[in-house]
Amino acid sequence: MNLTVAGTGYVGLVTGTGFANLGHNVICFDIDEAKLDTLSKGELTIYEPGLEEIFRRNLKSGRLVLTSDVKKAVRESDVILICVGTPANHMQEADLTAVEEVAARIGKFMNRYKVIVNKSTVPVGTADLVKKIIKANQKKKIDFDVVSNPEFLREGAAVKDFENPDRIIVGTDSRKAEKIMVSLYRSVARTGRPIMLTGIKSAEIIKYAGNAMLATRISFMNQLSFLCDKTGADIKDVSKGLGLDGRIGPRFLHAGVGYGGSCFPKDVKALIATLKKHDCDSDLFEAVDRINEKQKSVAVEKLKAVMSINRSTIAVWGLSFKPKTDDIRDAPSLKIIEELQTLGAKVHAFDPVAMKNARKILKGVRFFKDPYETIRGCDALIVVTEWDEFRNLDMRAVKALLKKPVIIDGRNIYDPKEMKELGFTYIAIGRANGKSTSPLP
Ligand code: NAD
């Protein structure tokens, strides 16, 4: 099939490369010329495990083409996948400017029947809007269909998720488009993964429902973590006991310093805005969002309780919003560092891959190339992202390098008992400030 992908960000680049790797001819277009230049040289603009090799191979074979020539990109394709950003606008709604721009250009350059696929996360009703914009921009009437095919890939595991998704959701009201979409995802169907066909509006809502559900689980655990802190229970045990219930399952039940990234925060907020727009209650999601915003301050609150932050130097390990990505959009680290600086602290920071992005927006922070060097002479360490490499460091060396052995473990990656034995003032989230009594020895 001849495919066009609009937008070469985390979703567009993985989607375009993934389909090219399955044998389709893919043209990716973007308005960011600098990004296209870098990509055209075979250099990736994002960190995504497993992407580089297949990206380079498909670029070299010519199956993957990058261009800023929208006219060519639109005319040469049978299917156009819209993967542009939909960040929050000032009203905390999904900003559809980029989607609308792409739709207008598709309409303008359309030369034959095409399926337009909304992969960007967009509020219910956006497929109708895209249809309207395309029609309004067509020079002559040409048939087309708009399909909602929300994307569920996780940064850090995006290539794996593309090749082996839990499910594919296709929202369509056209038999012709349905056939084309099923054929596009033929190789996924071969892996036994379901392709669920549904109405367009249901597909649009499924995406927000998924992210809101996961965000709710996180805020649920974060709120319970305060009760654990107060009572001497351990949130990790609560999480484990809860997750063993087959109806609940173990995933996304971890307390920490809050969720971040380019999806959960903005999608929960956009869902609230959509519910309000349709005169529906949004209480649950407002609470989820509020709890998360508060949770980003928990690490600094806990630090304030054991030391004076003014004129101190605090080390921060982990800047990306989660491990295995360089994405720092809405990352808790940003709020934590801002709060530390406001309180008069100097900040040392380290992240295995996100420092390039962090340097662009974090001012007054000293960046280090190594986690040990980051903490040398610091008054405390805050672990913000649960990168695997932080789990297995030499904690005796950590203690020796820190001026004061204070650790705020924002992701509960260490064992409170071990840390206490090593002589740390160890404070975790929902683990009774490291004094939790379970399990029995
Ligand atoms: P991104 O910001 O990384 O990439 C968006 C790209 O679109 C950028 O390269 C930008 O230059 C380009 N763009 C903007 N306007 C354009 C236009 N008019 N024409 C062509 N290109 C244009 O965003 P992302 O993280 O890839 O997310 C894209 C969409 O997918 C969003 O709606 C997001 O919510 C959704 N999504 C993201 C993820 C994720 O993990 N990042 C997962 C699932 C869904």
Side-chain angles (χ1 to χ4, degrees):
M1 251 185 236
N2 294 317
L3 310 178
T4 282
V5 174
T8 57
Y10 288 86
V11 170
L13 204 54
V14 171
T15 304
T17 306
F19 278 122
N21 202 40
L22 291 176
H24 298 287
N25 297 316
V26 181
I27 302 177
C28 289
F29 79 89
D30 204 292
I31 47 166
D32 186 336
E33 299 270 359
K35 197 178 263 192
L36 290 173
D37 278 353
T38 309
L39 291 169
S40 301
K41 286 183 216 143
E43 286 168 35
L44 282 188
T45 43
I46 55 170
Y47 172 83
E48 191 55 54
L51 183 61
E52 191 162 0
E53 193 267 322
I54 53 170
F55 171 73
R56 286 197 177 152
R57 189 154 38 79
N58 285 283
L59 195 65
K60 212 168 151 198
S61 74
R63 265 208 306 267
L64 181 64
V65 172
L66 299 151
T67 184
S68 58
D69 183 348
V70 188
K71 187 174 174 184
K72 170 186 153 76
V74 170
R75 296 179 83 87
E76 292 185 8
S77 60
D78 308 307
V79 177
I80 302 176
L81 301 122
I82 303 179
C83 301
V84 294
T86 49
N89 66 14
H90 68 287
M91 301 282 287
Q92 304 297 348
E93 300 158 332
D95 182 345
L96 297 177
T97 312
V99 172
E100 289 168 5
E101 255 171 46
V102 171
R105 290 169 132 192
I106 292 172
K108 188 170 166 201
F109 298 125
M110 194 176 277
N111 52 341
R112 58 171 192 266
Y113 173 84
K114 291 172 201 296
V115 179
I116 317 305
V117 182
N118 267 346
K119 266 203 160 310
S120 296
T121 302
V122 290
V124 56
T126 304
D128 289 344
L129 175 71
V130 167
K131 221 181 256 181
K132 214 166 110 190
I133 296 173
I134 293 176
K135 269 191 187 154
N137 282 276
Q138 283 182 334
K139 290 189 188 115
K140 59 173 187 187
K141 190 176 175 299
I142 300 169
D143 259 3
F144 67 95
D145 282 304
V146 178
V147 165
S148 169
N149 170 218
E151 181 52 60
F152 299 101
L153 63 75
R154 296 160 301 164
E155 286 175 21
V159 175
K160 247 181 15 208
D161 285 347
F162 177 87
E163 289 168 354
N164 211 0
D166 287 344
R167 79 305 203 190
I168 302 288
I169 304 287
V170 174
T172 177
D173 54 9
S174 144
R175 283 264 171 256
K176 190 171 175 184
E178 178 187 313
K179 264 177 138 172
I180 292 172
M181 291 303 287
V182 169
S183 159
L184 179 65
Y185 283 112
R186 210 169 25 209
S187 51
V188 173
R190 244 185 259 127
T191 64
R193 302 300 179 164
I195 298 178
M196 179 184 158
L197 297 163
T198 179
I200 294 174
K201 293 198 163 95
S202 304
E204 289 172 329
I205 292 179
I206 287 169
K207 173 64 196 176
Y208 282 98
N211 278 355
M213 170 66 86
L214 297 174
T216 301
R217 286 170 73 105
I218 296 170
S219 282
F220 180 98
M221 295 313 290
N222 282 337
Q223 189 146 73
L224 277 180
S225 73
F226 290 93
L227 186 61
C228 292
D229 268 340
K230 286 267 165 73
T231 57
D234 187 331
I235 194 73
K236 284 198 98 156
D237 288 347
V238 173
S239 164
K240 195 171 169 191
L242 192 59
L244 286 169
D245 186 326
R247 295 167 301 176
I248 296 171
R251 298 173 75 187
F252 284 84
L253 290 182
H254 302 293
V257 288
Y259 59 77
S262 66
C263 292
F264 287 8
K266 79 160 171 62
D267 291 348
V268 170
K269 288 181 168 78
L271 179 59
I272 294 168
T274 306
L275 284 160
K276 286 189 168 152
K277 191 175 143 198
H278 290 274
D279 275 332
C280 299
D281 279 343
S282 54
D283 316 11
L284 173 64
F285 307 113
E286 285 179 57
V288 167
D289 182 49
R290 203 171 50 241
I291 291 166
N292 193 59
E293 284 309 313
K294 244 168 82 184
Q295 198 68 17
K296 292 183 190 168
S297 301
V298 157
V300 175
E301 287 300 321
K302 283 178 180 270
L303 189 61
K304 257 166 48 185
V306 293
M307 64 178 276
S308 158
I309 293 180
N310 191 21
R311 292 170 193 274
S312 65
T313 305
I314 310 297
V316 170
W317 278 355
L319 299 167
S320 57
F321 80 93
K322 67 172 185 181
K324 296 190 186 147
T325 180
D326 61 348
D327 197 345
I328 57 162
R329 289 178 281 184
D330 254 326
S333 64
L334 305 183
K335 175 99 181 279
I336 290 169
I337 290 173
E338 184 195 307
E339 286 182 351
L340 290 171
Q341 290 177 326
T342 305
L343 290 168
K346 286 195 188 123
V347 176
H348 289 190
F350 169 77
D351 187 281
V353 302
M355 294 218 287
K356 194 169 155 210
N357 284 339
R359 276 179 209 276
K360 288 182 206 157
I361 56 167
L362 286 171
K363 301 295 164 216
V365 172
R366 272 189 77 188
F367 294 96
F368 290 79
K369 288 198 177 112
D370 166 82
Y372 293 112
E373 281 312 308
T374 315
I375 59 174
R376 189 186 288 280
C378 287
D379 297 287
L381 162 66
I382 306 180
V383 180
V384 180
T385 315
E386 65 278 33
W387 281 94
D388 274 344
E389 69 174 85
F390 299 152
R391 295 177 193 272
N392 300 305
L393 296 180
D394 177 353
M395 297 315 280
R396 282 177 213 282
V398 169
K399 181 154 178 267
L401 286 164
L402 281 168
K403 194 152 86 188
K404 293 178 199 142
V406 178
I407 296 188
I408 307 289
D409 183 354
R411 296 294 179 187
N412 290 346
I413 63 174
Y414 300 119
D415 177 3
K417 197 161 156 260
E418 267 175 45
M419 300 300 279
K420 215 167 144 190
E421 279 165 11
L422 284 167
F424 282 103
T425 300
Y426 173 76
I427 300 157
I429 311 290
R431 310 193 80 186
N433 286 349
K435 291 189 216 93
S436 105
T437 48
S438 55
L440 292 173

